[in-house]
RNA sequence: GUCUCCUUCGUCUAGUGGUUAGGACACCGGGUUUUCAUCCCGGCAACAGGGGUUCAACUCCCCUAGGAGAUGCCA
C-alpha cells in the first residue's frame, strides 16, 4: 500500500508549534516511505476563517522548506484541496446517510441546545451532550418544523449499543462503548457547511489517505470516525495519534506559555533547521545518543515505531541551545545575510547597507557568532557600535575590590596602550597589556574591565580590541576620555 | 460528572525480564579565555505507589493515585 498522508489545518489562526510538528511528522513519514504528503485546507468554519491565516500557512512552510506533493497551490489528482470547494460532495454523502436512515435532520435551535448544556453542567449529569431530541421525528413533525422555516442540521445516528474498536499504530487497540461516544454529532451545519467529522472522513477517503497522523486531542473522535467509515461502507485508514505538546505546567501548549506561533519564532531569530531538529525530538527519538538531525536526515530516518505515547513538554531552553548550535554551523556569509534584516529593522543599518557598513558587518560576524543564541540577539549585543553609547552605571567602571582612583589610573594606562592599536595587532596588543599587568599591581582582567565598560557601556561585550577596531579608534578614545571625566568628578 | 489516553532524572528521552538504569538540555563545580560566550572535564538527578507473575522485574498483569485530552452547528 502506498503511503499518502496529509496535514489538514484550519485557517483560523496562525500556525503554531503543535501543528507544525504534526505536519513535520506527516511529511517525514511520507518521505521516508516514498509516499505522498498532501496539504488540505479545512476552511469549513466560516466564522473564524481569515485570509491572513491562510497566508501564514504558506509563509510558515515556505520558511521551513517543506513542500507538499499535492495541495491547493499545487493541484493533484484528488483535488480540489480546499474544503469549501468540495461542497457538493459533503452534501451528497450527508443526504445519502439520511436516506439510509443512518443520519437524521435535527431542528433544535441554538438556544435549546445551550439551555440543555447549561442544565447538564449544573446537575452534573453523567449524560452530557445532545439529548437526541430529533432522532425519531415523524414525517409530520418534520414537515411542521420545515413549515416554520427552520433550517435543520444533519446529525449522525450513533448506535446506542455495542462498542467500537480501532487500532492505533502507537497506542494499540482503543475501545469505546458506543453509548459513550458523543451523542449524534452534527455532520452538516444548518448553513450547509460540513463539520470537521464529515468533511474529514469524506476527504480522507477520496484522497486515498493511508495514515491519519494527528494529535492525541483527536483520540476521542476516533471511534466516531470509524463508525462513519462503516456507515459509508469504506475502509478506514490507519490511525496514528501523536502525543501532544505541552507547556511547562503540563497543560496544552498555548500563548500563555510564551510564543507558540511560528511567526513569533521566526521573528525572534530561530533558524528553521534548529526548530525542525528540536521539534522532531519531542515525541520522537532515534536512538540513545544521536540528537542532531537535519531535515534531510529525518526524511530518511523517520519511523513510526519510535514515536512516543506520552505527551512532551516544550522546552524553550533546549530549542535555544539547538539554535546556538546551528548558528555556529553557519558560514560567515550566511550568518551575515540572516543578521542584516534585524539590524535594518532596528534602524542600525541601511537597506542596502553602505560599503562602510558592509565592512563593519564583515568584521562583526566572527566575534558574535559564538555568542548568539537567537539572531535577534545581534541588536542588543552590538548597540554600542551604532550611534551614541547608552548611559551606564558609573560604578561599572570600577573593577571589583578597587576604588575610583584605581579605575582612573587604569583608564589612563590603558588608553596609552590602546593608542598603539594602529601599529599592533590584537595579539601584540594583548602582550602589551599582559606586560603592564605584570609590572603593575593590576590583574589583566582589572586592566581591561574599565576600558570595556568605557567603550561598550557594559561589563559584558564581544572581545574588546576587535570591538574597538570596529567602532573606530577615535571614537573609542573619546569614550575613554569621557569616562575619565565622569570618574574625576 | 462521564469517557479515553498517559506515567524513567526539573525537562526531552534510551531501555523491550538479568544494565553500576545510558545520553541531551537545564542547573552546580572546575579548566581554557581580556569579560561574556564557545570549547573541554566533572557533578547533581529518575523507573508514581501497592499488589501479583517469575529464580529474576523499569520492562508482563491488576489496582490505586496523579496528569492530560475530549465531552460544540471549532477544528
Amino acid at each position: 500500500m502506498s503511503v499518502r498522508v496529509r496535514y489538514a489545518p484550519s485557517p483560523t489562526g496562525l500556525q503554531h508549534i503543535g501543528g507544525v510538528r504534526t505536519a513535520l511528522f506527516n511529511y517525514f513519514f511520507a518521505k521516508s516511505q516514498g509516499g505522498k504528503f498532501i496539504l488540505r485546507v479545512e476552511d469549513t468554519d466560516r466564522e473564524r476563517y481569515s485570509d491572513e491565516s491562510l497566508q501564514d500557512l504558506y509563509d510558515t512552510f515556505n520558511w521551513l522548506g517543506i513542500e507538499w506533493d499535492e495541495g491547493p497551490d499545487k493541484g493533484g489528482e484528488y483535488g480540489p484541496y480546499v474544503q469549501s470547494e468540495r461542497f457538493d460532495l459533503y452534501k451528497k454523502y450527508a443526504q445519502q446517510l439520511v436516506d439510509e436512515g443512518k443520519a437524521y435532520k435535527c431542528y433544535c435551535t441554538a438556544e435549546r441546545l445551550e439551555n440543555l448544556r447549561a442544565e447538564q453542567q449544573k446537575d452534573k449529569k453523567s449524560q452530557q451532550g445532545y439529548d437526541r431530541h430529533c432522532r425519531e421525528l415523524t414525517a409530520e413533525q418534520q414537515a411542521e418544523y420545515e413549515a416554520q422555516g427552520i433550517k435543520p442540521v444533519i446529525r449522525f445516528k450513533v448506535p446506542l449499543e455495542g462498542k467500537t474498536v480501532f487500532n492505533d499504530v502507537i497506542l494499540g487497540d482503543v475501545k469505546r462503548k458506543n453509548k459513550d461516544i458523543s451523542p449524534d454529532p452534527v455532520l452538516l451545519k444548518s448553513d450547509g457547511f460540513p463539520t470537521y467529522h464529515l468533511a474529514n472522513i469524506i476527504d480522507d477517503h477520496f484522497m486515498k489517505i493511508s495514515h491519519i497522523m494527528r494529535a492525541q486531542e483527536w483520540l476521542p473522535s476516533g471511534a466516531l470516525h470509524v463508525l462513519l467509515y462503516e456507515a459509508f461502507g469504506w475502509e478506514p485508514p490507519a490511525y496514528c495519534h501523536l502525543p501532544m505538546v505541552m507547556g511547562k505546567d503540563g497543560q496544552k501548549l498555548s500563548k500563555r506559555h510564551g510564543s507558540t506561533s511560528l511567526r513569533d519564532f521566526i521573528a525572534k531569530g530561530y533558524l528553521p533547521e534548529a526548530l525542525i531538529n528540536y521539534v522532531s525530538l519531542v515525541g520522537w527519538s532515534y536512538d540513545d545518543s544521536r540528537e542532531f538531525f537535519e531535515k534531510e536526515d529525518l526524511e530518511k530516518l523517520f519511523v513510526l515505531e519510535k514515536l512516543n505515547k506520552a505527551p512532551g513538554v516544550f522546552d524553550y531552553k533546549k530549542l535555544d541551545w539547538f539554535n546556538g548550535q546551528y548558528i555556529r554551523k553557519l558560514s560567515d556569509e550566511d550568518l551575515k545575510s540572516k543578521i542584516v534584516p534585524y539590524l535594518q529593522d532596528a534602524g542600525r543599518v541601511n537597506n542596502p547597507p553602505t560599503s562602510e557598513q558592509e565592512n563593519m558587518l564583515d568584521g562583526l560576524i566572527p566575534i558574535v557568532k559564538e555568542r548568539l543564541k537567537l539572531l535577534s540577539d545581534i541588536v542588543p549585543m552590538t548597540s554600542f557600535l551604532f550611534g551614541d553609547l547608552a548611559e551606564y552605571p558609573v560604578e561599572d567602571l570600577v573593577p571589583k575590590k578597587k576604588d575610583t582612583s584605581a579605575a582612573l589610573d587604569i583608564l589612563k594606562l590603558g588608553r596609552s596602550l590602546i593608542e598603539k592599536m594602529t601599529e599592533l595587532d590584537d595579539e601584540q596588543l594583548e602582550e602589551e597589556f599582559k606586560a603592564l599587568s605584570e609590572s603593575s599591581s593590576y590583574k589583566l582582567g582589572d586592566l581591561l574591565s574599565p576600558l570595556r565598560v568605557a567603550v561598550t557601556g557594559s561589563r559584558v561585550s564581544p572581545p574588546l580590541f576587535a570591538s574597538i577596531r570596529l567602532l573606530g579608534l577615535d571614537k573609542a578614545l573619546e569614550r575613554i576620555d569621557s569616562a575619565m571625566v565622569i570618574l574625576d568628578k
Side-chain angles (χ1 to χ4, degrees):
Chain A
M1 181 180 61
S2 69
V3 167
R4 290 175 57 80
V5 293
R6 101 274 125 131
Y7 177 54
S10 165
T12 54
L14 300 178
Q15 288 298 303
H16 60 99
I17 211 75
V20 164
R21 194 199 53 162
T22 299
L24 250 20
F25 282 178
N26 272 286
Y27 171 80
F28 292 138
F29 178 57
K31 287 290 162 198
S32 70
Q33 299 295 308
K36 293 272 191 281
F37 175 62
I38 293 137
L39 177 76
R40 183 173 73 223
V41 176
E42 306 213 329
D43 58 344
T44 56
D45 183 346
R46 76 269 181 255
E47 279 178 21
R48 295 194 303 152
Y49 171 87
S50 80
D51 286 331
E52 190 203 359
S53 304
L54 192 60
Q55 188 54 49
D56 180 69
L57 170 68
Y58 290 118
D59 292 346
T60 295
F61 286 91
N62 185 39
W63 181 79
L64 287 167
I66 301 295
E67 279 190 45
W68 32 87
D69 301 296
E70 299 167 27
D73 53 337
K74 271 229 157 78
E77 222 182 309
Y78 305 96
Y81 294 89
V82 178
Q83 289 188 329
S84 57
E85 294 170 20
R86 299 167 67 82
F87 263 28
D88 299 343
L89 206 55
Y90 309 130
K91 230 168 217 163
K92 175 183 162 199
Y93 281 93
Q95 188 56 47
Q96 177 184 315
L97 252 26
V98 173
D99 294 344
E100 292 173 354
K102 292 169 179 168
Y104 60 92
K105 291 183 177 175
C106 164
Y107 299 87
C108 292
T109 61
E111 294 78 54
R112 191 182 108 76
L113 263 17
E114 249 169 63
N115 291 337
L116 184 65
R117 202 170 305 132
E119 211 172 292
Q120 287 170 339
Q121 294 241 326
K122 202 180 71 193
D123 296 354
K124 288 195 177 145
K125 284 226 187 85
S126 67
Q127 181 63 43
Q128 294 270 308
Y130 184 53
D131 60 0
R132 298 180 154 124
H133 177 80
C134 299
R135 190 188 239 229
E136 306 296 345
L137 249 33
T138 62
E140 291 75 43
Q141 287 170 309
Q142 287 199 1
E144 197 175 313
Y145 281 124
E146 294 282 352
Q148 287 172 35
I150 299 175
K151 288 236 185 328
V153 301
I154 292 179
R155 288 183 183 272
F156 181 60
K157 262 190 199 171
V158 175
L160 273 9
E161 306 196 324
K163 65 177 177 183
T164 302
V165 183
F166 68 93
N167 185 269
D168 184 276
V169 174
I170 315 181
L171 269 15
D173 280 349
V174 178
K175 312 175 190 44
R176 210 166 187 209
K177 294 195 191 76
N178 291 151
K179 71 174 173 63
D180 292 328
I181 293 175
S182 173
D184 300 0
V186 172
L187 261 22
L188 207 66
K189 307 176 198 176
S190 55
D191 61 4
F193 281 69
T195 60
Y196 169 83
H197 300 300
L198 211 222
N200 202 259
I201 266 71
I202 291 177
D203 289 345
D204 284 341
H205 173 71
F206 286 108
M207 291 181 183
K208 295 193 161 50
I209 299 303
S210 64
H211 299 253
I212 294 181
M213 297 173 72
R214 67 202 344 178
Q216 259 179 36
E217 60 189 292
W218 289 109
L219 199 55
S221 306
L224 169 66
H225 294 175
V226 168
L227 248 20
L228 245 14
Y229 278 103
E230 283 173 7
F232 284 121
W234 298 335
E235 187 69 23
Y239 283 95
C240 184
H241 287 93
L242 272 10
M244 309 228 309
V245 182
M246 315 302 243
K248 263 242 164 317
D249 56 0
Q251 313 264 115
K252 200 167 157 181
L253 191 68
S254 69
K255 285 114 269 166
R256 72 201 153 80
H257 296 111
S259 300
T260 57
S261 73
L262 254 281
R263 187 180 279 186
D264 285 346
F265 282 99
I266 297 169
K268 281 188 181 155
Y270 288 94
L271 301 177
E273 42 274 49
L275 197 94
I276 288 173
N277 196 150
Y278 173 67
V279 160
S280 299
L281 258 19
V282 11
W284 186 83
S285 63
Y286 180 67
D287 63 10
D288 62 348
S289 54
R290 180 167 176 186
E291 59 187 342
F292 281 101
F293 300 92
E294 303 224 23
K295 185 164 67 95
E296 295 70 23
D297 303 321
L298 266 358
E299 286 174 5
K300 296 190 188 78
L301 269 22
F302 186 84
V303 286
L304 258 26
E305 289 70 27
K306 299 294 288 184
L307 246 8
N308 217 77
K309 292 179 180 184
V313 174
F314 191 85
D315 185 353
Y316 290 83
K317 285 218 174 122
K318 190 151 187 179
L319 206 214
D320 286 353
W321 176 78
F322 267 116
N323 208 55
Q325 294 289 317
Y326 279 102
I327 283 178
R328 257 150 255 141
K329 285 186 188 178
L330 254 27
S331 70
D332 287 0
E333 277 163 89
D334 274 357
L335 182 55
K336 181 178 162 189
S337 70
K338 287 179 192 300
I339 262 171
V340 166
Y342 289 88
L343 261 8
Q344 287 171 337
D345 282 352
R348 303 275 172 74
V349 167
N350 297 39
N351 188 4
T354 64
S355 66
E356 200 178 316
Q357 288 170 338
E358 289 282 2
N359 288 337
M360 163 97 88
L361 289 164
D362 288 334
L364 201 54
I365 300 303
I367 66 172
V368 296
K369 197 178 201 171
E370 63 195 24
R371 277 165 247 269
L372 294 172
K373 269 203 165 84
L374 306 180
L375 295 175
S376 59
D377 289 343
I378 191 67
V379 175
M381 194 175 285
T382 59
S383 58
F384 71 93
L385 288 172
F386 303 93
D388 292 331
L389 205 53
E391 289 245 354
Y392 55 85
V394 184
E395 62 265 30
D396 280 2
L397 285 167
V398 184
K400 296 207 171 64
K401 292 186 206 158
K402 293 276 184 288
D403 57 18
T404 308
S405 65
L408 210 46
D409 186 36
I410 288 169
L411 247 21
K412 202 164 15 158
L413 289 168
R415 189 191 195 285
S416 61
L417 288 183
I418 297 285
E419 278 176 29
K420 298 206 255 178
M421 188 173 265
T422 42
E423 292 106 62
L424 303 177
D425 64 25
D426 287 0
E427 218 169 298
Q428 293 167 317
L429 192 57
E430 190 176 331
E431 287 309 315
E432 294 275 330
F433 270 91
K434 278 182 179 159
L436 173 60
S437 166
E438 273 160 36
S439 66
S440 68
S441 60
Y442 303 120
K443 286 186 285 190
L444 186 57
D446 288 345
L447 239 28
L448 291 165
S449 172
L451 292 165
R452 181 186 310 282
V453 175
V455 174
T456 71
S458 169
R459 283 181 161 155
V460 173
S461 82
L464 182 58
F465 304 148
S467 298
I468 292 174
R469 287 185 205 278
L470 289 174
L471 215 210
L473 182 56
D474 293 346
K475 243 189 224 166
L477 292 176
E478 260 172 50
R479 288 182 184 181
I480 292 169
D481 289 340
S482 54
M484 288 196 285
V485 171
I486 295 169
L487 278 178
D488 217 6
K489 275 195 284 197

